[in-house]
Amino acid sequence: MTEAAYAAVDWGTTSFRLWLIDRDGRVLAERRSSEGMMAAAKTGFATVLQSHLDAVGAGSELPVLICGMAGARQGWVEAGYVDTPAPLAAILARAVPVAGQSRDIRILPGIAQRDAGAPDVMRGEETQLLGVLGLDAAGEALVCMPGTHSKWVSVSGGTVARFATFMTGELFSVVSRETILSHAVTGADDLEDREAFRSAVAAGFKTPASAANLLFQVRSRQLLFGGTPAAARETISGTLIGIELAAGLAHGWPQSGIRLVASGRLEMLYRLAFETLAVAVEPIDADEAVRRGLAMAARAIWTR
């Protein structure tokens, strides 16, 4: 059996993902759970990690590299931030060791934009960027990373120049569950209404300043003209994504197009949104990106 070289962990706010990796970067085993930072803070980060390492048969001396919210102030050990403009290589140099552990455990830092006019932070996405662009990235790149808190990142010559976070996913959850629009989406099934989604993307992109009005129209349109709960759900989603894209594309984009780092339903929705606006994207699987980034960091840390 191939011997593991290290364990790579992407530790989010509400999710935990661990991969056992060999020296050639191949995945030997994988674990996923909902034991993100919020749950682990109660159970104990060391306890959660060890339970998953035991489940994949990891040796007692196997090193572990972690990215994400385990390095937040409320996490296991605060890993701080690399300030913009942030060379991706600086992320590797600032990995923080977890003291008091029998094995070598490191947590990668996030990136901070200390601009009083546009303050922003990211944790976890910097490792995906590393996996997407590498350490020797040349030229300009614009990267869209959908999620609960979507990131749009401008990278120049391997350095993160600026980025912006959009609460699109969280707003969708709140608007569709906690407002009057919850009545409009009640009973929505798994069927997609792509036409409703495309129309909403176009409307949100064209008039983002009318966001509150566009969202209320979801309810009034259904009351006056009918429509399915699925159409209402897709309209809410399309409106919020259209508004995000309006801001993200406001300053143009490189001729090489946009890297879209996503997976699952989010990847499908954002590809459809960009297609609606006739904007070319290069889709990149989010899980693969973070694994590549962690592998790159692990090689730099443990083979120097």
Side-chain angles (χ1 to χ4, degrees):
M1 180 177 176
T2 305
E3 183 180 355
Y6 61 92
V9 178
D10 181 10
W11 213 325
T13 303
T14 59
S15 65
F16 175 95
R17 295 180 294 179
L18 177 146
W19 299 278
L20 207 60
I21 310 291
D22 71 7
R23 295 190 181 281
D24 296 321
R26 291 178 298 223
V27 177
L28 304 178
E30 179 178 346
R31 297 279 295 177
R32 292 172 182 258
S33 81
S34 59
E35 296 163 295
M37 178 191 71
M38 296 174 69
K42 299 175 182 177
T43 306
F45 286 90
T47 300
V48 171
L49 176 61
Q50 189 60 49
S51 70
H52 289 282
L53 290 171
D54 289 342
V56 296
S60 60
E61 296 184 358
L62 190 75
V64 179
L65 185 61
I66 301 171
C67 72
M69 295 303 291
R73 186 173 300 172
Q74 301 81 14
W76 192 356
V77 173
E78 186 173 8
Y81 295 104
V82 177
D83 289 354
T84 55
L88 291 174
I91 295 166
L92 313 183
R94 296 274 295 276
V96 174
V98 179
Q101 302 299 307
S102 60
R103 68 177 79 238
D104 188 356
I105 302 175
R106 312 281 183 100
I107 303 179
L108 295 175
I111 296 179
Q113 186 166 277
R114 298 183 193 274
D115 179 343
D120 219 322
V121 293
M122 70 167 73
R123 280 199 183 276
E125 293 89 356
E126 76 293 323
T127 308
Q128 288 183 325
L129 285 171
L130 189 60
V132 170
L133 301 172
L135 290 172
D136 303 315
E140 307 288 326
L142 181 60
V143 184
C144 173
M145 312 170 83
T148 302
H149 299 149
S150 296
K151 307 286 184 185
W152 284 67
V153 189
S154 175
V155 183
S156 178
T159 295
V160 175
R162 292 189 67 78
F163 64 97
T165 302
F166 299 87
M167 295 175 61
T168 306
E170 188 167 5
L171 285 174
F172 173 79
S173 178
V174 171
V175 168
S176 60
R177 295 179 184 180
E178 306 295 335
T179 72
I180 193 172
L181 297 187
S182 63
H183 301 296
V185 302
T186 298
D189 52 30
D190 293 333
L191 294 176
E192 299 169 0
D193 191 327
R194 294 198 171 196
E195 188 54 42
F197 178 80
R198 282 179 176 272
S199 296
V201 167
F205 183 81
K206 183 180 179 181
T207 58
S210 299
N213 176 248
L214 290 172
L215 288 172
F216 186 76
Q217 286 180 23
V218 174
R219 181 60 172 165
S220 55
R221 182 180 296 107
Q222 192 180 64
L223 288 172
L224 299 175
F225 301 106
T228 66
R233 179 193 61 208
E234 304 298 347
T235 301
I236 296 170
S237 177
T239 299
L240 293 172
I241 292 175
I243 292 164
E244 177 189 324
L245 267 58
L249 298 171
H251 303 293
W253 58 93
Q255 290 184 346
S256 59
I258 296 168
R259 270 93 161 183
L260 174 63
V261 183
S263 56
R265 178 171 167 79
L266 274 181
E267 191 266 347
M268 181 275 292
L269 288 175
Y270 275 75
R271 283 187 70 174
L272 188 59
F274 281 114
E275 180 184 300
T276 299
L277 302 176
V279 175
V281 297
E282 176 190 347
I284 299 167
D285 182 75
D287 281 1
E288 180 62 26
V290 76
R291 282 198 301 268
R292 284 202 303 261
L294 285 164
M296 201 173 301
R299 286 194 298 269
I301 291 170
W302 287 305
T303 62
R304 305 188 233 205

